[in-house]
Amino acid sequence: QKEVEQDPGPLSVPEGAIVSLNCTYSNSAFQYFMWYRQYSRKGPELLMYTYSSGNKEDGRFTAQVDKSSKYISLFIRDSQPSDSATYLCAMANAGKSTFGDGTTLTVKP
Amino acid sequence: DAGVIQSPRHEVTEMGQEVTLRCKPISGHDYLFWYRQTMMRGLELLIYFNNNVPIDDSGMPEDRFSAKMPNASFSTLKIQPSEPRDSAVYFCASSLGTGVSPLHFGNGTRLTVT
């Protein structure tokens, strides 16, 4: 079993929809929780991070962490075609980040 | 800042040949990571360095893979001999410290071994 499991997708939604991306993890030692966005033929770039349970909001993006359930989510409100990308969850401990396999999102105009 | 720079962007080689991938991290970053990305296995950590010293190479698949960081501004990942199953996108990333410090990725080297 992988340490980090991510809902595989792909997801295709109309512009303006609310998107929910989800990951579960098994390693209780993970301390930091991150979401990266990866456009085609580019490297991943950090979108959001948090280290505590609860919600963190940044514009149209909300990251949610539930440590008791070992579950994290990323919500995208009012999705735009420019949000079309692969989203990777990542969890870190002691300098190492472990990534989910990614969910590819397409937002159609 | 130019970001993390990787070269070459694409590499096509024949099985058995030596391949060298190069990375220039962001100036001032003290951590450097090599990742491999494939459809089957996702993004896997191969090795990481702190202040030019290898800290954890447990992700290096086998002895055919080696990585060096001779100074703070340069790292190489070498595969010798290469095999078709090594075909993947190899990413280098750097960060300032650990924990909440984000990884800054290069745009990767797409390796094809025929």
Side-chain angles (χ1 to χ4, degrees):
Chain A
Q1 183 187 3
K2 290 185 176 182
E3 283 189 300
V4 178
E5 298 278 0
Q6 183 167 359
D7 288 354
L11 289 178
S12 181
V13 301
E15 183 174 353
I18 296 174
V19 177
S20 172
L21 305 167
N22 307 295
C23 289
T24 58
Y25 63 95
S26 57
N27 187 348
S28 299
F30 286 136
Q31 297 176 303
Y32 305 100
F33 306 90
M34 295 151 284
W35 287 95
Y36 285 79
R37 178 175 61 195
Q38 185 176 20
Y39 291 114
S40 180
R41 301 192 179 275
K42 298 287 187 181
E45 56 179 347
L46 183 71
L47 197 57
M48 295 190 72
Y49 72 85
T50 184
Y51 55 88
S52 59
S53 285
N55 293 350
K56 182 177 181 179
E57 193 172 312
D58 183 2
R60 296 184 294 109
F61 298 89
T62 299
Q64 187 176 79
V65 174
D66 182 345
K67 287 187 176 182
S68 61
S69 300
K70 296 189 178 67
Y71 188 90
I72 73 170
S73 298
L74 178 71
F75 298 96
I76 307 174
R77 291 184 300 279
D78 186 26
S79 55
Q80 302 295 308
S82 58
D83 295 329
S84 298
T86 297
Y87 290 80
L88 300 140
C89 62
M91 324 227 175
N93 177 52
K96 293 174 61 171
S97 291
T98 302
F99 286 78
D101 288 345
T103 301
T104 298
L105 170 68
T106 301
V107 181
K108 296 184 176 179
Chain B
D1 195 330
V4 176
I5 299 173
Q6 291 187 247
S7 64
R9 285 299 311 273
H10 302 273
E11 177 80 38
V12 180
T13 191
E14 292 184 346
M15 182 173 63
Q17 296 299 305
E18 178 178 295
V19 175
T20 299
L21 312 180
R22 298 173 175 78
C23 175
K24 177 179 169 55
I26 292 173
S27 177
H29 282 191
D30 53 352
Y31 281 82
L32 183 138
F33 303 80
W34 282 100
Y35 282 87
R36 176 171 70 177
Q37 188 174 41
T38 61
M39 290 292 290
M40 291 295 293
R41 301 174 68 88
L43 200 58
E44 303 174 279
L45 177 64
L46 300 177
I47 185 171
Y48 77 96
F49 296 82
N50 176 217
N51 292 322
N52 314 336
V53 176
I55 302 300
D56 186 344
D57 65 354
S58 59
M60 297 285 263
E62 47 197 276
D63 291 346
R64 297 185 297 106
F65 286 69
S66 63
K68 294 182 179 179
M69 192 165 187
N71 57 62
S73 59
F74 184 67
S75 178
T76 59
L77 178 68
K78 186 176 292 186
I79 308 172
Q80 165 64 21
S82 58
E83 297 183 3
R85 60 194 167 118
D86 302 330
S87 297
V89 181
Y90 290 81
F91 286 104
C92 175
S94 68
S95 71
L96 184 61
T98 59
V100 299
S101 297
L103 296 178
H104 296 261
F105 284 83
N107 283 327
T109 295
R110 183 172 297 273
L111 173 65
T112 303
V113 183
T114 60

